Amino acid sequence: MRTVAVDAMGGDHAPAPEVEGAVAAVRERIARVVLVGDEARVKQELARHDAAGLDGLTVRHASEVIRMEDHPAVAAKGKKDSSMRVAFDLAKERAVDAVVSAGNSGAMLACGLFVMRRLPGVERPGIVTTFPTVNGVCALIDMGANVECRPETLAQFAVLGAVYARLLHGKPRPKVGLLSNGEEQIKGTELTRGAYKLLSAAVEKDFEFVGYVEGRDIFSGDVDVVVTDGFTGNV
Amino acid sequence: MRTVAVDAMGGDHAPAPEVEGAVAAVRERIARVVLVGDEARVKQELARHDAAGLDGLTVRHASEVIRMEDHPAVAAKGKKDSSMRVAFDLAKERAVDAVVSAGNSGAMLACGLFVMRRLPGVERPGIVTTFPTVNGVCALIDMGANVECRPETLAQFAVLGAVYARLLHGKPRPKVGLLSNGEEQIKGTELTRGAYKLLSAAVEKDFEFVGYVEGRDIFSGDVDVVVTDGFTGNV
C-alpha cells in the first residue's frame, strides 16, 4: 500500500475535511496517510473521528501555513516549516509516495520545483485534470500552471500526459491530441503549430500523436490526453 | 418587418433546409426573405412547400457557390456571382437588412470585409455566439474569426459585444468581462493585460467593464458579454 502525505492545513476549511478524508482513506485501506500540520489541531480533529491511534495514520507536526494570499515562490522558499513544504520534504526523503494539498496551487508548484526538482527533459510542471468522456476519461494538461508556453513546453506536456494516462488510467499507448481551433494542420497559433511540428517529428514515442483536436474532443472519447497551454486549459 | 438575405447554397444540405427555413420565417411573419442561389434549384424546393408565389419571399439568382474547401479570401474576391457574395451585395445596396449563411465562415467574414467594409474604429470583425446562462443569455466574442489578436482588437470586441447585447438582448448597459485564467488583475497573458488596461482607461462607455472573468462565468449570468481572442473562444 502506498503512503500519501496530506497537507492538513491547506484548504479553505482546514483541517476538518483533510482529517476526515485521511481517516476514511486509511479505514478503507486505500492508502497510508501522513497528516502534516499543526499537531494539536490535527489531533483534536482525529479525536472527533475516534481515530487517534488508527494504524496507518500518522501526524507530522509543521508550525507554519502557506495561505491562499501568499506569493507562491516567496512562501515556498520562506515558510520552510509550512505544512505544504514539509509534505514535499517527506516525498523528497521517500517517506511518502505522493503529496496532496487543497491549498495555494502556485505554492504547490513552487514547493515541487524547489524541493523535488525537475525530471531531466522537463522544463515546467503542468497541472493535469481528468475529464469524463462518453466512454471513459481524458487527461487535460496544462490546467493553469503555465500561462505562457513555448512549443517545447507543450511537447513535454504531451509526454507527461501520456505517462499519466498510461499509469493512472491504464492505457498502454495513449492517443494524444493538441488543442486547437480546428483539426486542419494550418489552424492554430504560432505556439500550437510549433508544438505540432515537434510532436510529428518525434520518434520512439510511447504514445500516438493524433494531431489537432477541438474543445469538444475532450469529451468525445476519441483521445486519451489533450495538451494545451495553461491559459487555454484554465479557461 | 425586416428583410433578410439567405444564402440558399451555403449549407451542407443546401438548398433544402435553407428554403424550408425561409418559408417558415415568412409564413410566421418573422421576416421577409430573399433566397439567393441557383434559381432553378431553389424554385424546385419552393414548389415542394407550395410556396412559389408566397408574399414576402423572393428569389435572387446567383450562378456560383462558395464551397467549404474554398480559400475564404480567394473565393470571396473571385466568385463575384456566388450566392454568398450576392447576398452581401444586397445588404450593401440596402435591399436587405441582414445576411444569413450556413456556409464557409471564413468566406462569410471575407465577403463582409470586401463588400460591406468596416465601421470606423473597428479593425476586425468578430464572431458572436449567444450562450444560455442560469438566468438569461451571454454573448461571447470572438468565437474564432481572429486567432491572433492585439489588445486593441479585444477592446473593440468589447464595444461590438456591448452593442450586440444592447440591441439583440435588450440590455441597456451590458456588463462586459474579459476572459482570463483568474479574476485578479495580475492574471492573464500580455494580450489580456493590455486589453484590461485599455478597457479600464476608456471613458464614456455604453457598457460596464467588470474586469477579468473565468470560463465558468460565461454561464453564471453575472456578465452580459465575454470578450476573448478567436483561438480561446473557439476552444
Side-chain angles (χ1 to χ4, degrees), chain A residues 7 22 65 83 103 116 125-126 136 138 207-208 216 232:
Chain A
D7 170 9
V65 176
S83 55
M116 306 293 292
C138 176
F207 59 89
E208 181 190 345
R216 61 174 174 233
T232 311

Side-chain angles (χ1 to χ4, degrees), chain A residues 28-29 48 62-63 68 122 126 152 160 176 199 209 232:
Chain A
E28 291 170 28
R29 302 190 168 280
R48 291 183 50 212
S63 63
M68 288 296 183
V122 179
E152 290 75 11
L160 293 174
V176 178
L199 285 165
F209 176 57
T232 311

Side-chain angles (χ1 to χ4, degrees), chain B residues 145-168:
Chain B
N146 305 275
V147 167
E148 314 262 11
C149 289
R150 301 186 308 122
E152 290 76 10
T153 325
L154 294 191
Q156 291 168 7
F157 287 166
V159 177
L160 292 174
V163 171
Y164 190 91
R166 201 165 66 242
L167 297 183
L168 276 289

Side-chain angles (χ1 to χ4, degrees), chain A residues 52-89:
Chain A
L54 190 61
D55 194 41
L57 185 62
T58 51
V59 180
R60 170 69 156 77
H61 181 66
S63 63
E64 293 176 293
V65 176
I66 295 179
R67 313 241 166 240
M68 288 296 183
E69 59 274 19
D70 280 345
H71 183 286
V74 174
K77 269 196 181 146
K79 293 188 170 176
K80 290 212 161 45
D81 199 40
S82 62
S83 55
M84 191 187 283
R85 171 119 191 196
V86 170
F88 274 98
D89 289 337

Side-chain angles (χ1 to χ4, degrees), chain A residues 153-196:
Chain A
T153 325
L154 294 191
Q156 291 168 8
F157 287 165
V159 176
L160 293 174
V163 171
Y164 190 92
R166 202 165 64 242
L167 298 182
L168 275 289
H169 299 157
K171 295 171 178 177
R173 190 174 156 80
K175 289 184 182 181
V176 178
L178 192 58
L179 194 58
S180 186
N181 60 325
E183 292 183 2
E184 306 83 357
Q185 213 181 324
I186 53 155
K187 296 279 180 125
T189 60
E190 211 178 309
L191 170 64
T192 64
R193 284 190 295 270
Y196 194 112

